[in-house]
Amino acid sequence: MRLRGLVGSLPAFALAEVLDSASGPLVALLAESESADYLRSDLEQLLGADPVLFLPPTGRDPYDPEQLADTLPLVQRADALGRLRDGFHGILVTSVEAISELVPPPATVADETLTIRIGEEHAPEELMERLTGQGFAGGYPIRLEFFGDEVDQFREFDPQSQRSVSRLETARLVPNLGTAQSEGGESVSALDYGPDATAALFDSQRLIEAASERFATAEAAYEARAQDTDANGPPLAPEAKVLTGNRLATALESRRRLLFGTFSEGSQHILTLGASPQPSYNGDLKRLREDIASRSLQFVVLCDSGSQKKRLWELLGGDLETGKPPPVELLVESLHEGFEVPDAGLAVYTDHQLFDRYHRPTSRKRAKARGGLSLREVKALRPGDFVVHVDYGIGKFAGLQTITVRGQQQEAVRLLFKGDDELFVNVAALHKLHKYTGKEGHQPRLTKLGTGAWERLKARTKKRVKDIARDLIQIYA
C-alpha cells in the first residue's frame, strides 16, 4: 500500500490511525536518525509515550575499540528490543543507521536477561560479576541495596545529581547488546525482534541505498583495522556486525508494507490524501492575516509555549483585555511540521515555522525525572483526594488497583473525573500526577474527559485519514 499526499506531520496521524485498527505492531523505518526522532516526537504528542518506542543508533564506530560514546542509547536499544520481543503492540520508530547495527538473536538476549525482585536472594559478588561480564559497568540508572544476600530495595537515580527519583519493586537487567554481539555467534537485525510487524517505509528506495552506503563504510574501516591486528585477534567481518542493503531489502519484501514518500515504489494500491505543506511566511504575519481572511479554511496554529500563544493572540487580531479571540484557533501543542488539507477545510500551522525557528524534537518520557508523585505519596492519599493529571486535568483519587492490559497485570492509580469517568494511570507514569493545591476549603471543579481542544484537533485530522486505515484493513484481511 502506497500513501501519497501526506506532508508535514500528517504521516504521524496516519500511523496513529492505522495502529488503532492493526492486529500487530508497526515498525516505522526512515533513512535518517534525525527524521526518525521527529516522527517519534509527533507520535508521542498524538498517542502519548507508552505506545511509542524509539530505537536509536549507538553512535559508535564498529571498528574503533577506543571510541568513547554515550551509554544512554545502549540502554534505550536494549529496552526497545526487549519490549518488542515481549509482545509490544505499538509503533517502533527507527532509522537505517540504527537497524544497520546487528544484535544478538531474541532468544540469546532472553537467556541473558535477569529479572530481580525485592526479597529475592542474590549474592552481590556473583551478581556484579555477571553484570560486568555483560557490559553493565557504569551508566545504568538503578541502585540496588542488599541486606546480606537479600535484595532490600531498588532506587532509580539521576546520574547527574546521584539523587534517587523513584523506588521500584522489580528490575529487569538486559545485557549490553553491543558486548553480547561482539562475542561472536549469530547476529540479526532489529527487525527480527518483531517478525509480524507491518513495516511503514519512508522513501523505500533511499532506505536500501542508505544501508548499502553504511555497509561500504564499515567494509573500508574493517580492511584498515584488519591490517593492524592486536592481541585480541582479527575483528569480526562486517557481515557479522552491519546490515547489508540486500539483506535489508529481503527482510522488507517479506512483510506487509505501507509506503510513504516520493521515492517509494512497488505497490499497485495507492491512496492519496491531497494535502500540502505549510506555506513559508518568514515572519510576515500581515500576509498570514490576509490568508486567514481570504481562504475558506479553519486555521489552527500550534504554539510552543503559553507566552507565544499570548503574543500571537494579539498579533493575529485578538484582544486579551476584552477577550476578543483572533480568527484562528491557538493551541499550546507541539508538532514538527504544519500542513493543509483543503478537502477537509483544515490548515494546521506551527509557530516555529511561521518565524523560521529551529524546532527540537520533544519527548513526553523526559518528564519522568521531574516532579510528580512518588509511589509512597500515592499510597498516602485517601479516596476522594483531588489529584491533577498533566494531560487530563483534575480528578479524584480512587485507590490503587491491579488491572490487566494485553494479558499483563499492572498496578495502576484509579482516578474519577466529572460524570464518573474513570482513568487508570500506570504506576510507571506517576510523574504525570500531582496533588491538587488550592485555597483551604475550596472544592475544585472536576474535569470532563475528552473535551480538550487538542483532542478535537486530533479527531478532526484523524477523520480525514480514516479511509486509509479502512482500506488497509480490507487489503490485509
Side-chain angles (χ1 to χ4, degrees), residues 262-447:
T262 305
F263 301 103
S264 290
E265 297 181 354
S267 176
Q268 297 179 348
H269 304 284
I270 300 176
L271 294 175
T272 303
L273 182 63
S276 55
Q278 173 177 334
S280 176
Y281 286 94
N282 297 312
D284 187 352
L285 295 186
K286 178 182 178 181
R287 184 161 67 90
L288 174 60
R289 289 194 298 269
E290 292 173 350
D291 285 350
I292 293 173
S294 62
R295 301 181 64 190
S296 300
L297 295 173
Q298 178 184 2
F299 284 83
V300 179
V301 177
L302 306 182
C303 306
D304 288 334
S305 66
S307 59
Q308 182 68 358
K309 176 181 177 180
K310 291 181 180 179
R311 178 188 176 206
L312 285 175
W313 184 285
E314 295 187 330
L315 290 175
L316 294 178
D319 190 319
L320 289 173
E321 292 186 2
T322 63
K324 173 190 173 184
V328 59
E329 188 170 4
L330 300 175
L331 301 176
V332 182
E333 296 292 348
S334 177
L335 287 177
H336 177 42
E337 292 183 337
F339 51 85
E340 296 180 352
V341 188
D343 289 347
L346 179 66
V348 178
Y349 292 173
T350 67
D351 70 334
H352 52 266
Q353 287 178 280
L354 291 178
F355 297 100
D356 295 328
R357 292 197 313 267
Y358 173 73
H359 178 246
R360 188 184 302 276
T362 58
S363 176
R364 293 191 182 273
K365 292 182 180 179
R366 292 175 190 148
K368 183 178 180 181
R370 305 189 191 97
L373 294 176
S374 66
L375 186 57
R376 176 178 296 178
E377 290 171 326
V378 168
K379 290 181 177 179
L381 292 174
R382 294 173 298 179
D385 283 350
F386 292 100
V387 175
V388 180
H389 191 292
V390 295
D391 294 330
Y392 298 103
I394 300 174
K396 284 186 177 181
F397 176 70
L400 285 165
Q401 186 171 328
T402 301
I403 61 175
T404 301
V405 179
R406 300 190 184 112
Q408 301 290 326
Q409 287 194 332
Q410 301 179 3
E411 190 174 17
V413 177
R414 181 170 176 251
L415 300 179
L416 297 178
F417 291 82
K418 185 177 180 180
D420 290 330
D421 291 342
E422 63 180 6
L423 175 73
F424 290 94
V425 182
N426 190 289
V427 292
L430 294 182
H431 60 275
K432 294 188 175 185
L433 300 182
H434 298 263
K435 191 170 182 179
Y436 175 81
T437 56
K439 294 182 179 180
E440 186 175 353
H442 173 69
Q443 293 288 320
R445 300 176 63 179
L446 297 180
T447 303

Side-chain angles (χ1 to χ4, degrees), residues 71-152:
T71 58
L72 179 60
L74 296 176
V75 177
Q76 291 175 323
R77 286 171 66 86
D79 177 65
L81 293 178
R83 290 183 61 191
L84 192 62
R85 182 200 67 222
D86 292 342
F88 171 74
H89 185 93
I91 302 176
L92 174 73
V93 183
T94 189
S95 64
V96 170
E97 182 182 359
I99 66 166
S100 291
E101 302 179 73
L102 297 179
V103 294
T108 301
V109 176
D111 291 340
E112 298 295 334
T113 298
L114 177 64
T115 300
I116 302 177
R117 298 175 177 82
I118 289 179
E120 293 182 342
E121 290 191 357
H122 296 272
E125 296 80 7
E126 295 178 2
L127 183 60
M128 179 65 70
E129 182 179 352
R130 174 173 179 173
L131 298 184
T132 302
Q134 292 179 338
F136 275 109
Y140 203 75
I142 293 180
R143 181 177 290 120
L144 284 74
E145 298 182 10
F146 290 85
F147 183 76
D149 287 348
E150 181 179 318
V151 179
D152 187 49

Side-chain angles (χ1 to χ4, degrees), residues 5-28:
L6 273 71
V7 300
S9 292
L10 271 175
F13 284 88
L15 289 174
E17 187 61 40
V18 171
L19 181 64
D20 285 343
S21 306
S23 58
L26 306 177
V27 175

Side-chain angles (χ1 to χ4, degrees), residues 166-179:
S166 67
R167 294 175 181 266
L168 304 174
E169 299 292 326
T170 303
R172 187 180 66 171
L173 307 179
V174 182
N176 180 334
L177 300 180
T179 300

Side-chain angles (χ1 to χ4, degrees), residues 82 116 156 204 236 406 475:
I116 302 177
E156 278 190 312
S204 56
L236 290 175
R406 300 190 184 112
I475 290 172

Side-chain angles (χ1 to χ4, degrees), residues 58-65 67 100-102 181-182 214 217-219 221-222 225 235-238 241-242:
T58 64
R60 296 186 174 187
D61 184 334
Y63 294 107
D64 184 359
Q67 181 183 20
S100 291
E101 302 179 73
L102 297 179
Q181 194 272 336
S182 66
R214 293 197 64 79
T217 300
E219 271 191 317
Y222 168 76
R225 172 87 191 283
L236 290 175
K241 298 174 75 70
V242 182

